[in-house]
Amino acid sequence: MDEIRHPFPEPPAPGTATEVAPGILWLRLPLPWALDHVNAYALDEGNGWTLIDCGIHSRRAVKGWEALLAGPLAGKPVRRLVVTHHHPDHIGMAGWFIARGAELLITRTAWLYARMLLNTPEERPSPEAITFWKRAGMAPADLERRMAERPFNASDCVAPLPPGFTRLQEGQSLHLGGRDWRIRIGHGHAPSHATLWSEAPETGGAGSSGLVLGGDQLLPGISANIGVYPAEPEADPLDEWLESCTRLSTFARADQLVLPGHKLPFTGLPFRLRQMVGNHLSALDRLRDFLATPQTAVACFPLLFRRRIGEGELGLALAEAVAHLNHLYQRGEITRFPGPDGAWLWQKA
């Protein structure tokens, strides 16, 4: 079983749910981006539901959730909402559910990040963002366009979050949906990202050897974005990601059913963790060779991504390129110096 398998090869249709284990429903919510969906999971508590993640907040999302609550969720209320991390596609509807009586469970850092982003909307890019883009070597035409645009704001798709939450911590035990779960915290894609692991015995079928609610820390087929952003330009999230994958591998088994934040539920988690680590180590090897001569972060795109990066992908690609460069820089393997246009030029030490 040392490979990735998908016991449920088709996602639930809009407005429907798929039972992936006794008392656990898989819901798929639409997103208006290139990655056009996010998964949520509803755990049956008898007199209500515990929800894992909740999608973005919009008029369409509210109508969708009202239909789900009246349909596959059988009119029972959401009593608890577990949010794996602070990104809008996972926390967006949290305030809406809290206003209807749900308790929010989230790590402290994720809650603080979400509140910070909600409380700092921008009409134009900040000076820090512009400096970050220039230092990454963004092309003048892209830079000029972005300087004139309104940036993405969390407040556009995240409902207001009232003060107050229940904290999730590493090693904590929770009883949700008739099962005992252990919290394991990952980092790199998002700070203090919660994953939930259950070894509760099942009655057979998918999930009979354990369940893992993986959020974006444990995805099949696609790589979670590992990015550096203007708020912390010297960060090394790739080091945190590699450490998290190695640490979580000690709890992983090939027969566990992983319920991810995107794409399809899967088994074969040990293989997937090795694969995710190997993909980044291979990218770092290519980068070391490429930096025999000085290069900007943007110039590293072909080496790192092996495909053309379009306008819509530029921000995430830039963030990930800087993350790989920062990792080598923090380890003393490469140096950097400002070029004539102010962009950092990175070179093998």
Side-chain angles (χ1 to χ4, degrees), residues 321-342:
V322 175
H324 285 75
L325 291 164
N326 274 9
H327 181 70
L328 295 178
Y329 180 70
Q330 300 289 0
R331 292 163 62 91
E333 296 188 46
I334 62 175
T335 61
R336 71 184 185 194
F337 54 92
D341 58 356

Side-chain angles (χ1 to χ4, degrees), residues 15-176:
T16 71
T18 297
E19 187 175 59
V20 291
I24 298 183
L25 301 182
W26 170 25
L27 315 171
R28 176 158 284 193
L29 313 173
L31 296 176
W33 304 315
L35 184 57
D36 63 2
H37 72 276
V38 64
N39 296 327
Y41 302 93
L43 282 59
D44 194 349
E45 304 287 4
N47 64 348
W49 300 94
T50 292
L51 197 64
I52 312 297
D53 290 337
C54 54
I56 62 170
H57 179 253
S58 66
R59 287 192 294 270
R60 179 188 180 190
V62 169
K63 290 181 180 178
W65 272 114
E66 288 174 341
L68 287 167
L69 288 165
L73 300 189
K76 297 190 296 185
V78 173
R79 300 193 178 278
R80 288 183 291 190
L81 171 62
V82 175
V83 172
T84 58
H85 61 296
H86 76 277
H87 291 164
D89 52 331
H90 296 262
I91 200 173
M93 286 289 290
W96 188 84
F97 281 107
I98 293 167
R100 285 153 182 77
E103 173 192 6
L104 174 64
L105 287 73
I106 189 171
T107 65
R108 178 186 290 165
T109 300
W111 186 81
L112 290 171
Y113 257 86
R115 289 273 296 183
M116 179 269 291
L117 292 171
L118 275 171
N119 293 334
T120 53
E122 298 176 341
E123 291 303 320
R124 287 292 180 268
S126 67
E128 293 78 11
I130 294 170
T131 297
F132 182 78
W133 294 336
K134 288 180 177 179
R135 287 180 172 173
M138 184 178 284
D142 292 324
L143 183 63
E144 183 178 356
R145 184 186 69 254
R146 284 177 170 256
M147 288 174 65
E149 291 176 344
R150 183 177 185 271
F152 172 82
N153 283 279
S155 55
D156 295 339
C157 57
V158 177
L161 281 171
F165 67 101
T166 298
R167 183 183 178 189
L168 299 178
Q169 302 182 71
E170 173 68 32
Q172 177 183 355
S173 294
L174 293 176
H175 190 75
L176 307 173

